[in-house]
Amino acid sequence: MAKVKPKRKSTWVDMTAMVDVAFLLLTFFILVSQFRPEEVVTVTPPSSTSDAKVPEGDLIQITMDGEGRVFFGMAGKNNRMQMLDNIGEARAIEFTEQEKEEFSLLENFGTPLKDLKSYLASGKEARKNYDQSTEGIPVDSNNNELEYWIRAAKGVSRQAPVAIKGDRLAKYPVFEDVVNTLRDLNENRFKLVTGSEGEQVAFVE
Amino acid sequence: MANVEVSESQKKGGKKAIRGKKRDTRIDMTPMVDLGFLLITFFILTTTLNQPQAMDLIVPAKEDVLDNEQDRNKVGDEQAFTILLGANNRMLYYEGLFTSNSDELKPVEASWGTGENSIRAALVRKSRERNPRYDQIPVLQKQLNAGQISEEEFREQVTEIRSYKQGAIVMIKASPEATYENMVDILDEIKIANVGIYAIMEITPQELTMLEETFN
């Protein structure tokens, strides 16, 4: 007796619905996404239970990496251009239009002023190498360039909030130097960027 | 895969070709789905969906430092609670002020997190000891959660309790070997324990010696 052959079912699946879903999600992610700005150093901030957000807008960000180097950055291309103008004026350095353009593309930098011009003139690869080996922005009391930069940035926008983003392993004296610099400039209120940890409550019976 | 091509072969079949042939309009969508999900993956991986958290830190203005020097003398011996952050994530705390008769100070090592000898427990104990209204904060929190009082009311009352003048005054002093993480963690503990008055101060040589003596 011939066996009844199971009917071959078509494996065709209608994908239209799936395409719809895929593109819907795609649209969502495109709309909500903000590209992570390229960072010259990677830092892992410590976590805290704080639920406040880092303010947006003209944020001034001071980054400390694990080796104690300090980097500086300000949000906004135009802000950065103005900031370079300000610092050029304050430190009597002339910057060309091209240098300004290059500078305005830097989200973060850890270049002492004396190297800034050569840094701006160099290419991408050279910059990467430089970022690896740089000492960061000097914060010591006899040559506090961080102070100049904060002044320049505050000259662009007086209300700009200041955030400190430090690596977990950054040593405390670096943080102290940064805080003291801010205090010298009468910036007594700032944010510490941290990862989130969820809320915790002290145990009280 | 290629359903569109099927109609091609039907053409040769004969007369039927003359009539307007019905084409199969089904298109294989699989590559499109692939592409869609590939792009989604890309966007998920490159986006930062939420803003990072931040913690507020307010430091006293430089001009106030002189006044603080005098204020410091006003800090009662029984109010003072000093935390010393040392190397390797270890810390000490002692109660009372560092004066000439420092032999009486008993530095205690505290641990992170929760537990009997954690810094959190110590902060809670000290705050409760000093501030008679300290235990009202969780009560208020409960009321807030139950919707009995408004957010502003809650904040106002908590601020009032915290700023109690005779309450505990916590001084945080970090040694050069402490890390930034230790500092953030201790500020966090202070927030969790609802400590009202605290300050970050410079560590003194005596305190450094104290750290060394206790840990070695």
Side-chain angles (χ1 to χ4, degrees), chain B:
Chain B
M1 257 277 178
N3 267 49
V4 189
E5 283 164 27
V6 175
S7 52
E8 200 73 22
S9 57
Q10 280 176 349
K11 217 197 253 175
K12 286 175 190 165
K15 279 185 183 174
K16 273 180 187 170
I18 301 164
R19 243 192 276 160
K21 59 223 153 173
K22 239 192 205 161
R23 288 206 169 193
D24 192 345
T25 52
R26 285 220 285 189
I27 304 170
D28 187 11
M29 295 268 198
T30 324
M32 196 163 167
V33 179
D34 289 351
L35 182 77
F37 277 102
L38 192 79
L39 286 171
I40 290 175
T41 323
F42 171 73
F43 274 98
I44 291 178
L45 291 182
T46 50
T47 51
T48 43
L49 247 188
N50 44 3
Q51 293 284 97
Q53 319 292 122
M55 180 188 252
D56 262 315
L57 182 64
I58 303 168
V59 292
K62 204 102 200 184
E63 291 92 83
D64 295 348
V65 171
L66 264 186
D67 301 335
N68 267 4
E69 214 75 59
Q70 288 156 3
D71 272 347
R72 209 173 292 168
N73 298 331
K74 283 188 222 149
V75 175
D77 194 37
E78 62 292 337
Q79 282 180 285
F81 185 102
T82 310
I83 302 169
L84 302 178
L85 300 173
N88 305 322
N89 301 328
R90 295 172 80 183
M91 69 181 138
L92 285 183
Y93 71 87
Y94 66 85
E95 290 164 63
L97 286 174
F98 224 114
T99 42
S100 47
N101 52 347
S102 60
D103 299 340
E104 288 161 29
L105 296 176
K106 285 194 188 61
V108 184
E109 181 170 5
S111 64
W112 296 102
T114 54
E116 218 159 277
N117 47 10
S118 67
I119 192 70
R120 195 180 298 178
L123 285 170
V124 169
R125 177 182 52 75
K126 183 76 181 177
S127 304
R128 186 180 287 152
E129 222 171 83
R130 297 294 316 163
N131 193 340
R133 291 179 66 203
Y134 180 72
D135 282 331
Q136 281 185 22
I137 294 178
V139 177
L140 285 167
Q141 182 72 51
K142 257 183 212 147
Q143 284 178 340
L144 174 75
N145 290 346
Q148 287 162 344
I149 52 170
S150 70
E151 184 91 37
E152 286 115 65
E153 224 174 312
F154 171 75
R155 214 166 283 159
E156 206 172 280
Q157 296 223 36
V158 168
T159 314
E160 198 198 313
I161 295 173
R162 279 187 185 175
S163 54
Y164 177 63
K165 282 274 178 326
Q166 298 304 311
I169 293 176
V170 178
M171 289 173 272
I172 308 163
K173 303 184 181 187
S175 76
E177 282 95 48
T179 61
Y180 172 65
E181 183 181 33
N182 297 150
M183 189 43 109
V184 170
D185 283 347
I186 204 76
L187 289 172
D188 218 29
E189 290 297 340
I190 282 191
K191 203 186 129 216
I192 292 169
N194 280 314
V195 173
I197 308 171
Y198 65 91
I200 299 173
M201 304 209 304
E202 242 168 83
I203 197 160
T204 60
Q206 293 102 304
E207 282 162 332
L208 280 173
T209 332
M210 188 193 242
L211 269 175
E212 228 162 79
E213 275 169 8
T214 323
F215 286 155
N216 292 329

Side-chain angles (χ1 to χ4, degrees), chain A residues 133-151:
Chain A
S133 61
T134 179
E135 300 271 281
I137 292 173
V139 222
D140 43 296
S141 49
N142 46 13
N143 179 27
N144 196 340
E145 286 181 12
L146 182 67
E147 187 183 331
Y148 307 149
W149 283 113
I150 297 169
R151 246 185 239 278

